Amino acid sequence: MTLAACTPRSLPESLNGLFELALDLRWTWHHGSDELWRALDEETWEATGNAWLVLNSVSGDRLEDLAQDPSFQQRYLEQLAAHHRFVHADTWYSDECASNLGEGIAYFCMEYGLSESLPLYSGGLGVLAGDYLKAASDLGLPVTAVGLLYQQGYFRQAISTDGEQLEFYPYNDPTMLPISPLRDSDDQWVRVVVPFPGRHVRLRAWKAQVGRCELLLLDSNDPRNEPGDRGITSELYTGDPEKRLQQEMVLGIGGWRLLRQLGRRPSLCHLNEGHCALALVERAFSWQEDHNSDFQTARTATRATNLFTTHTSVAAGFDHFSGPLLRLYLAPWLENRGLSAGQLIDLGSEHPSAGNDAGDQGLNMALLALNMSGRINGVSRIHQKVTQTIFQPFFPRWPADDIPADYVTNGVHTPSWDSPESDAIWTRACGQDRWRRPLQVSCPMTAISDEELWEMRRLQRKRLVSYLRRRLSSQHCEQNPASNRAAACGLLLDNETLTLGFARRFTDYKRPDLLLKDPERLIRLLASRDRPLQIVLAGKAHPYDRRGKDIIRRWKAFAQRPDVEGKVVFIEDYDLGVANQLIQGVDVWLNCPRHPWEACGTSGMKVLVNGGLNLSQYDGWWAEAWNRDVGWAIHPGAVFEDLHSSSEDDLADARELFDLLEQQVIPGFYDVDQQGVPRRWLQRIRASMDQLTAVYSANRMVREYVDRFYLPMVEQGKARSPATAAEILTQYQEIRKHWPRLRFSAFNASQSEGRQTFSVEVYLDGIDEQRIAVELVAEASEQGPRTVTPMAMQHPLSGSAHSFLYECSVPPRPAGHYTPRLRVRDERLNLPLENPAVLWLR
Ligand SMILES: *Cc1c(COP(=O)(O)O)cnc(C)c1O
């Protein structure tokens, strides 16, 4: 690939490799080349952390000087050689998986948070996708990610002197972003076309290199597009449903077409959230074309290798599009596919209207994704339950416990979140390449003394305090006439004071105002002379979220109270860069979402590697991770059924939070020995670092996706040949015809030797008995847990065609607790996802 066309400058011949280094986002987590960027242009590097921008803004004279500088040359050549070694090294995947993922994984997501210098994300979902991709690179996994290049991305935040959130949308100049135009083998800039009503929308393709993985990005800002279409990829998450649908068409349809145009044939497609569900339909269309087949066969063939991950906690969180809007937009795309708009909408409708093209039902993108996928998963153990509950309406007559949603708990890309100090400590304790191979589950740091660990914490806190002061100064802290300058500028923050951090989206369910439920009690903690507390806050409220904005206003007003004495600071424009600084320096990270609304939550995982401790609602990942040794939980042991929603619950949780702070957290931090070292606090830090860092890493998460999903799914996909897919389809069309006539009769129980035997007669109307499973179900009760026991076929019933006797023995319970049911059985399919037919006796 030549870079000339995308680089506004040329480099001295001997430094040409800098292009390669600057365009690999590995510099966001691997700091080997930092000194090169600093040498080129220290000011730009410190201000933006964007190596590509540094390379493009450094003066020609400076470059010529460095090209002649032997010591720079040497460091540069070392880095270049190290980079080549990294790109070609053996990896976990090449060693352990023997290329069993075939042509690899296509990963789709609406947003990617890789670096603050590539602002294509709004929050947790994007940061997770970014961390996934970085860990996939570490492990050598063949992943190609697909996303959108937003001209403006998510809004940038400032806060006015009276606490009002201001929103700005600065333009992302693509030539200054660490990406390059994607070129084909003829060196042409790759473009993709997606049919829209009455026109074709042209998309330009870009590439971000993320270590060994690629992130391909599409944008619609092609001068040949209509003005309105050029703005399709302008902002992320605007409220306009029409624009949202346009974006999802560009991402899903355009994204899959892009892969195809590049000649890629991914073995599996992983959707991170349902926004990109149209990719699965486009994937089926491609298959249909390749095999000269019809849509339903294509769907049956491809879905085995589609994985859908959901992060949503409420049904209202799914994208819904209205029938008329869909019909308008999808018609040109669906032309000549043998699939009408009505049939497509049925795949994502709670109440299908049998392909009726005039029906007015809308489409739920999560349901479409589900109906196109072979497996689905939530992102924590609690979230699996939540997902089963919100998907239950899509599986009529199936109990929530049987809804086929799995879970993989999220993790963070540890090397992206460690501090220089913690990096040094971990390297000493556990070795250099520890984050690239499967993480040792335990690394107890026995070689590190309490004093060293405490010194690490103190240095990190000190760096945080100076960062906060710099930030506050750039927030014009001096210009607020109403406030005390020293307080507003963070000059009253203290390097040795217990520092609590809270940063996340300011939205109702995250309860960023929980500490404000009792302002007087909070002030007592902040103002304590001998055991004070200081708090750093950050977070954006969605532009339409009035309540979220109101909470920001209340915090700003609180921070300005004279009796708060500058101990609470609000950092504007929360992004990856801010997050990075906060999670390195805080002693305690606070998270208090309303149970069970936090699908997983990841910010708390980022403090683990740095010896920060978590004080969090017992929800999401913390409900799995928490024990008394590693941190503090609000309302520990809460189960999913404890739906938290009332304001009394908020008050009770706030009281519990204050109790924990007053009785455990604050006394624990200040409980120091003669040498000034808080031994018990450090014990907790050791437990948290040792027990949790590896487990809540993206390294573990990605390997779990590979072992439990990608590998078995790709295996199953190989078995779905065109012939098998067609056969499955025909067989199930046949079964559907018979299904309404299936019947149970003669359900009987008998007791013997402490066991209970149940038998039931089943009429199958000619369906092959091998395709049917009969099960005896007892729901959980005071008699015992839920059980599902297979009933074995004993013999056909003589004298009545298509009837069979089934039987099983179970532990005794009142007979009325047991009910038989009948479902399809087929090891070729993922059931009941691919066929939710079920018949209960009652
Ligand atoms: C980690 C992170 C998030 C997600 O944090 P949650 O705890 O899941 O809310 C959001 N935004 C940024 C910038 C992050 O770094």
Side-chain angles (χ1 to χ4, degrees), residues 121-124 127 417 503-505 510 574-576 579 589 591 598 601-604 606:
Y121 61 95
S122 100
V127 177
W417 298 104
R504 50 185 45 80
R505 209 145 43 89
K510 300 250 190 193
Y574 181 48
D575 70 355
L576 276 167
W589 189 254
N591 186 26
E598 186 83 309
T602 53
S603 56
K606 299 168 189 165

Side-chain angles (χ1 to χ4, degrees), residues 314-610:
V314 279
F318 296 135
D319 276 335
H320 277 265
F321 295 110
S322 77
L325 185 69
L326 284 163
R327 270 172 239 285
L328 172 68
Y329 271 94
L330 300 184
W333 172 54
L334 293 175
E335 214 165 279
N336 301 323
R337 303 289 195 165
L339 182 74
S340 71
Q343 287 165 326
L344 176 60
I345 293 173
D346 272 358
L347 282 171
S349 285
E350 281 128 87
H351 309 288
S353 64
N356 176 357
D357 272 305
D360 62 357
Q361 83 277 22
L363 176 140
N364 173 336
M365 289 299 262
L367 182 51
L368 177 64
L370 181 139
N371 277 323
M372 295 297 297
S373 291
R375 299 275 295 276
I376 53 184
N377 74 285
V379 291
S380 71
R381 193 169 59 208
I382 289 185
H383 186 243
Q384 176 188 34
K385 291 261 177 208
V386 173
T387 302
Q388 288 177 320
T389 309
I390 54 185
F391 282 176
Q392 192 178 19
F394 309 152
F395 293 84
R397 296 178 298 284
W398 282 92
D401 286 323
D402 291 327
I403 305 303
D406 217 311
Y407 78 93
V408 175
T409 305
N410 287 337
V412 296
H413 183 243
T414 322
S416 291
W417 298 104
D418 60 1
S419 70
E421 294 84 5
S422 72
D423 181 38
I425 291 250
W426 282 92
T427 303
R428 253 180 60 206
C430 317
Q432 185 77 56
D433 255 355
R434 67 199 172 278
W435 308 130
R436 295 199 46 212
R437 295 274 156 177
L439 296 185
Q440 294 136 296
V441 169
S442 175
C443 170
M445 298 214 165
T446 35
I448 310 293
S449 70
D450 274 3
E451 284 72 11
E452 289 168 305
L453 206 51
W454 187 234
E455 189 55 20
M456 171 190 95
R457 289 294 324 148
R458 295 182 62 220
L459 287 172
Q460 289 171 324
R461 194 183 315 106
K462 187 165 164 223
R463 246 180 341 97
L464 172 62
V465 169
S466 41
Y467 169 78
L468 295 176
R469 289 179 184 151
R470 279 202 310 281
R471 260 320 264 221
L472 290 166
S473 151
S474 69
Q475 285 175 207
H476 312 298
C477 58
E478 322 220 352
Q479 286 169 15
N480 186 350
S483 70
N484 168 341
R485 178 180 163 276
C489 295
L491 302 179
L492 306 179
L493 295 172
D494 176 58
N495 289 340
E496 306 296 334
T497 290
L498 170 61
T499 307
L500 184 74
F502 179 98
R504 50 185 45 80
R505 209 145 43 89
F506 271 53
T507 187
D508 213 34
Y509 88 84
K510 300 250 190 193
R511 298 191 296 190
D513 57 346
L514 205 60
L515 281 170
L516 289 179
K517 297 278 177 207
D518 193 342
E520 297 312 317
R521 201 165 167 189
L522 180 57
I523 284 175
R524 278 200 297 280
L525 300 184
L526 298 167
S528 161
R529 285 284 156 239
D530 51 345
R531 298 194 305 187
L533 177 70
Q534 59 193 10
I535 302 181
V536 47
L537 300 155
K540 297 175 177 177
H542 188 278
Y544 298 146
D545 185 351
R546 285 183 28 225
R547 292 165 69 114
K549 290 181 175 182
D550 184 53
I551 299 176
I552 293 179
R553 205 177 300 116
R554 282 163 48 214
W555 266 117
K556 285 293 280 190
F558 181 83
Q560 284 173 14
R561 283 173 59 148
D563 47 0
V564 169
E565 299 182 316
K567 297 239 179 57
V568 174
V569 295
F570 190 101
I571 298 301
E572 296 170 8
D573 203 25
Y574 181 48
D575 70 355
L576 276 167
V578 175
N580 223 295
Q581 297 292 329
L582 301 195
I583 58 97
Q584 292 178 21
V586 298
D587 296 291
V588 175
W589 189 254
L590 173 65
N591 186 26
C592 44
R594 193 170 284 143
H595 184 96
W597 284 53
E598 186 83 309
C600 179
T602 53
S603 56
M605 300 175 185
K606 299 168 189 165
V607 306
L608 298 171
V609 66
N610 298 311

Side-chain angles (χ1 to χ4, degrees), residues 143-366:
V143 173
T144 306
V146 181
L148 296 180
L149 178 68
Y150 301 98
Q151 276 74 59
Q152 296 164 329
Y154 199 54
F155 77 93
R156 306 288 301 270
Q157 178 199 52
I159 313 281
S160 75
T161 42
D162 46 7
E164 205 66 47
Q165 171 173 290
L166 308 175
E167 291 131 23
F168 302 100
Y169 291 87
Y171 175 66
N172 293 331
D173 177 353
T175 62
M176 295 298 134
L177 300 178
I179 58 174
S180 55
L182 181 66
R183 296 180 178 279
D184 62 18
S185 44
D186 294 333
D187 208 30
Q188 295 296 308
W189 194 353
V190 176
R191 307 201 179 222
V192 178
V193 172
V194 174
F196 268 49
R199 62 204 193 265
H200 283 88
V201 172
R202 292 184 176 80
L203 305 169
R204 309 185 297 184
W206 305 81
K207 180 174 89 168
Q209 191 70 41
V210 184
R212 299 170 65 123
C213 296
E214 285 177 347
L215 165 59
L216 306 181
L217 297 163
L218 290 171
D219 91 318
S220 66
N221 193 15
D222 184 311
R224 290 171 299 172
N225 284 333
E226 291 174 14
D229 292 339
R230 292 185 63 178
I232 292 173
T233 53
S234 56
E235 304 118 44
L236 179 56
Y237 301 144
T238 60
D240 174 11
E242 183 165 351
K243 185 154 182 178
R244 181 71 160 251
L245 177 61
Q246 294 175 335
Q247 290 183 336
E248 295 187 9
M249 289 176 70
V250 167
L251 175 60
I253 304 169
W256 193 266
R257 287 188 175 188
L258 171 62
L259 293 172
R260 207 166 152 80
Q261 227 164 286
L262 297 173
R264 315 241 173 131
R265 295 282 184 278
S267 302
L268 184 139
C269 183
H270 185 172
L271 297 192
N272 198 37
E273 216 21 295
H275 310 125
C276 15
L278 293 174
L280 305 184
V281 181
E282 181 65 18
R283 183 185 186 195
F285 286 159
S286 304
W287 194 95
Q288 190 175 335
E289 233 170 79
D290 292 346
H291 297 88
N292 204 1
S293 174
D294 60 293
F295 176 76
Q296 288 303 344
T297 310
R299 173 178 166 236
T300 308
T302 50
R303 76 182 288 183
T305 48
N306 289 333
L307 171 62
F308 169 35
T309 298
T310 170
H311 299 254
T312 308
S313 287
V314 279
F318 296 135
D319 276 335
H320 277 265
F321 295 110
S322 77
L325 185 69
L326 284 163
R327 270 172 239 285
L328 172 68
Y329 271 94
L330 300 184
W333 172 54
L334 293 175
E335 214 165 279
N336 301 323
R337 303 289 195 165
L339 182 74
S340 71
Q343 287 165 326
L344 176 60
I345 293 173
D346 272 358
L347 282 171
S349 285
E350 281 128 87
H351 309 288
S353 64
N356 176 357
D357 272 305
D360 62 357
Q361 83 277 22
L363 176 140
N364 173 336
M365 289 299 262

Side-chain angles (χ1 to χ4, degrees), residues 59-136:
S59 73
D61 289 350
R62 178 73 186 144
L63 277 170
E64 290 299 339
D65 287 352
L66 288 171
Q68 307 304 325
D69 174 347
S71 100
F72 182 84
Q73 271 290 339
Q74 190 197 340
R75 284 177 291 159
Y76 154 72
L77 290 173
E78 275 168 21
Q79 284 305 319
L80 202 57
H83 191 251
H84 288 160
R85 280 197 303 278
F86 158 78
V87 171
H88 298 291
D90 287 344
T91 61
W92 172 77
Y93 175 72
S94 65
D95 292 351
E96 304 291 322
C97 306
S99 304
N100 283 338
L101 294 178
E103 311 258 323
I105 310 300
Y107 185 84
F108 279 74
C109 188
M110 194 79 172
E111 47 169 312
Y112 290 88
L114 290 155
S115 158
E116 64 273 26
S117 60
L118 189 56
L120 308 177
Y121 61 95
S122 100
L125 181 71
V127 177
L128 177 81
D131 277 10
Y132 163 92
L133 209 50
K134 293 172 182 175

